Amino acid sequence: MTTALTILAIICILGLPIPIVYLTRKNKILGAIGAIACCYIVGFIFSTLGLTGISYDKGLTTTITYVLVALSIPLILFSIDLRSVKKLTKGTIVGYSLCIVSVIAIAFAIFFITYKFFPSTELSAMIVGLYTGGTPNMNAIGAAMGAESNVLSAANVADTIIGGIYFLLLISIAPKFYRLVLNRRNKKEYLKENNEKETTHENIEEEKKDDFTFGFKDKKSILRLLGSFALAIGCVGVGVLLELIFENTVGENLLYILLSVSVLGVAFSFIKPIREIKGQYTLGMYLILMFSLALSMSIDWSVFLTDILPTFAFFACAQISVIILHIILCKIFGVDGDTAIITSTAGVYGPPFIAPVAKAAGRQDLIAPGVICGALGLAIGTLLGIGIGQLFLLFI
């Protein structure tokens, strides 16, 4: 029975993201919840089998989560064009820089406040990556820091709930609040300053409105995508080799693997033929869906239930503090409200959420700068979080 259920679990991890994405496109309620959150819910349901006395190999599903996150990071990074950073305006650069400063400051503060009575080392490092580029960074940092699967699961659930609440605010009342608190610079002033026409950025990154659309059907594109996937495997292999050389182990210290895939992912993104391969970002996000399923399937409920409330409180305090500090710094440095809300979105969520927030604010001209900031966060977030996490370890 255990072997059969383990095989079924692996089949679910590989296959279920496809119908889940389909259902989120067809059903407004599921669409509002999001494909990643739906994968967590399905995985939670599957993991409850352990409460009935029926079990499967959760150690194997945990291993699968680490493999998936290691492969997803380079695929996502390959598609990033970091050269576009030079297109950012001074205001956007300042706004996003203040976002990074806010995250690092809060991470240090919350670590030193809690580390003596709460295992906050991994979580403090994870919020650095989470709020500079999004969830993929957080999961990579957690794995690199050796966070247990239950801690990762609790962190993802907390992020989904808290992040969902903040996103609802971003597309509803937050734009008015940001403009009330911060100075407002209208669209015409922004375009005039940058010598741009009003239509310049209206449709940029349209393909990333849906993270799970490949956008191609020809055989040649499929073969190129397979080549990109093979390159991602090679990046993982470099990390494994480094671990073997320096630690004489394989798979016991994920730090080498996740540093390798992050650095090599950014490095290969500067090679135009690799960067322009269609579908690799989408494939990376599909692996994130599989990761979400595998992670939630790995839950030990007896441990998870003791982790979720303190973890939820930790992330709630962190996100609220980061947002407030960012607003304060934007006020001090004269960043206008629309730029502030877009750079905050880029840090907390990454590229995919920029367009709806920009449209809610009536500032579609800020979609492109926001996407660039989010892409930059994806590129640097994992390295920044791991580096600060290693610094935290020096204090304990």
Side-chain angles (χ1 to χ4, degrees):
M1 178 65 74
T2 300
T3 302
L5 278 175
T6 301
I7 295 173
L8 177 61
I10 294 172
I11 293 173
C12 288
I13 291 169
L14 296 175
L16 277 181
I18 296 174
I20 287 174
V21 169
Y22 175 80
L23 291 172
T24 56
R25 289 172 175 168
K26 296 296 182 181
N27 185 284
K28 290 184 178 180
I29 296 176
L30 293 179
I33 295 173
I36 292 178
C38 287
C39 284
Y40 277 112
I41 293 171
V42 172
F44 287 144
I45 294 172
F46 201 99
S47 68
T48 59
L49 288 173
L51 301 177
T52 65
I54 303 172
S55 62
Y56 52 92
D57 190 347
K58 291 188 176 181
L60 178 59
T61 56
T62 300
T63 300
I64 291 173
T65 64
Y66 295 138
V67 172
L68 290 171
V69 76
L71 289 172
S72 68
I73 294 298
L75 286 168
I76 292 172
L77 293 178
F78 287 160
S79 63
I80 293 175
D81 186 1
L82 287 179
R83 299 174 307 167
S84 60
V85 172
K86 63 185 179 183
K87 299 179 182 178
L88 294 177
T89 65
K90 179 181 177 181
T92 310
I93 293 172
V94 172
Y96 187 67
S97 298
L98 294 177
C99 184
I100 295 175
V101 170
S102 301
V103 173
I104 294 174
I106 296 302
F108 271 93
I110 202 168
F111 168 75
F112 282 113
I113 291 171
T114 62
Y115 82 95
K116 288 187 177 180
F117 58 88
F118 184 76
S120 61
T121 307
E122 297 93 346
L123 294 179
S124 297
M126 288 161 67
I127 65 174
V128 173
L130 175 62
Y131 299 137
T132 54
T135 306
N137 288 342
M138 178 187 72
N139 290 320
I141 293 165
M145 295 292 295
E148 295 181 359
S149 60
N150 289 299
V151 173
L152 280 173
S153 298
N156 278 275
V157 171
D159 173 51
T160 299
I161 296 172
I162 299 164
I165 294 171
Y166 182 47
F167 183 68
L168 290 176
L169 293 175
L170 285 173
I171 59 176
S172 55
I173 64 174
K176 293 181 180 178
F177 173 78
Y178 270 80
R179 288 166 182 165
L180 179 65
V181 175
L182 302 173
N183 296 326
R184 180 178 182 180
R185 181 174 57 168
N186 64 39
K187 187 174 181 178
K188 289 183 179 179
E189 290 173 339
Y190 176 88
L191 295 173
K192 184 178 180 181
E193 178 182 316
N194 295 283
N195 195 28
E196 295 177 357
K197 296 180 180 179
E198 188 169 345
T199 56
T200 300
H201 297 312
E202 293 291 331
N203 298 315
I204 193 164
E205 293 291 330
E206 286 293 313
E207 74 270 4
K208 287 187 181 177
K209 285 183 180 178
D210 185 343
D211 285 342
F212 311 109
T213 298
F214 282 94
F216 64 81
K217 295 181 181 180
D218 58 292
K219 185 177 179 181
K220 191 174 182 179
S221 295
I222 294 174
L223 291 175
R224 287 177 177 173
L225 183 57
L226 289 174
S228 178
F229 184 70
L231 183 59
I233 294 174
C235 293
V236 174
V238 170
V240 172
L241 181 61
L242 289 175
E243 181 190 353
L244 182 62
I245 293 172
F246 291 105
E247 302 287 342
N248 199 28
T249 60
V250 175
E252 294 183 15
N253 189 341
L254 292 175
L255 179 62
Y256 292 95
I257 292 174
L258 291 167
L259 281 176
S260 295
V261 297
S262 299
V263 172
L264 292 175
V266 171
F268 281 118
S269 73
F270 286 97
I271 301 175
K272 187 176 180 180
I274 294 176
R275 185 176 64 249
E276 294 183 347
I277 295 175
K278 293 182 179 179
Q280 51 192 354
Y281 177 89
T282 302
L283 180 58
M285 293 306 297
Y286 260 102
L287 293 181
I288 292 294
L289 291 182
M290 294 180 191
F291 164 85
S292 303
L293 269 171
L295 183 62
S296 53
M297 285 180 179
S298 305
I299 288 175
D300 180 345
W301 280 93
S302 62
V303 179
F304 176 78
L305 293 176
T306 62
D307 287 337
I308 184 60
L309 287 179
T311 304
F312 185 89
F314 185 96
F315 275 85
C317 291
Q319 181 160 336
I320 292 171
S321 300
V322 168
I323 292 167
I324 292 174
L325 181 57
H326 182 241
I327 292 174
I328 293 172
L329 292 176
C330 285
K331 184 70 174 180
I332 294 172
F333 286 88
V335 178
D336 65 278
D338 291 335
T339 300
I341 197 172
I342 291 300
T343 52
S344 177
T345 303
V348 175
Y349 298 103
F353 291 81
I354 299 297
V357 175
K359 289 180 179 179
R363 293 297 304 273
Q364 285 93 328
D365 56 299
L366 291 177
I367 291 177
V371 168
I372 294 169
C373 288
L376 177 62
L378 282 172
I380 68 174
T382 300
L383 295 174
L384 189 62
I386 291 174
I388 291 177
Q390 294 301 307
L391 187 61
F392 289 154
L393 291 176
L394 299 177
F395 293 98
I396 58 173

